[in-house]
Amino acid sequence: MPDITRKHVGPRMSQLVIHNSVAYLAGQVGTPGASITQQTNDILGQIDTLLAEAGTDKSNLLTAQIWLSDIASQFEEMNAAWEAWVPEGAAPARWTGEAKLATPDFHVEIIVTAAI
């Protein structure tokens, strides 16, 4: 049986799952209705907290998946916050797309995996 650790488990998802020295984070969202910069910074802070709980940090990111509610108007602003946060030389494999998020008040959702 594989050794799987789940943290912050709810009825629908776990915020953090650890397996085989990899931390998998659920999609993180920021303060509803806030600016793209604020939502992105909120999310990045949540990611830092969850990664620390897993015993790792952003320098060990493997992948990042970013969803924006309007990529044409939000991409540059989100990237400015992202690039200020990601350690130089430690950028993960990343993809960014546009999607309708859970509510119209959410403009950014970020999902990451990291090595432990």
Side-chain angles (χ1 to χ4, degrees):
M1 200 69 172
D3 184 27
I4 299 172
T5 302
R6 300 175 202 280
K7 297 189 176 217
H8 309 286
V9 180
R12 158 177 325 141
M13 73 179 100
S14 298
Q15 291 298 313
L16 169 63
V17 176
I18 301 167
H19 177 63
N20 284 343
S21 298
V22 177
Y24 301 87
L25 274 60
Q28 302 297 306
V29 294
T31 304
S35 70
I36 301 306
T37 298
Q38 183 62 54
Q39 286 192 21
T40 304
N41 286 329
D42 291 347
I43 293 164
L44 298 175
Q46 292 164 201
I47 289 171
D48 282 333
T49 298
L50 288 166
L51 291 176
E53 192 172 341
T56 190
D57 62 41
K58 62 189 173 186
S59 68
N60 293 313
L61 289 175
L62 300 171
T63 64
Q65 183 178 44
I66 301 174
W67 294 105
L68 298 169
S69 61
D70 182 354
I71 199 167
S73 68
Q74 299 165 339
F75 191 67
E76 285 185 41
E77 190 175 343
M78 179 278 301
N79 268 332
W82 174 264
E83 290 169 6
W85 177 78
V86 172
E88 186 174 337
R94 186 187 113 171
W95 51 101
T96 305
E98 181 178 290
K100 235 180 222 189
L101 300 178
T103 76
D105 291 332
F106 292 134
H107 303 297
V108 183
E109 182 171 353
I110 301 177
I111 306 151
V112 300
T113 61
I116 298 175

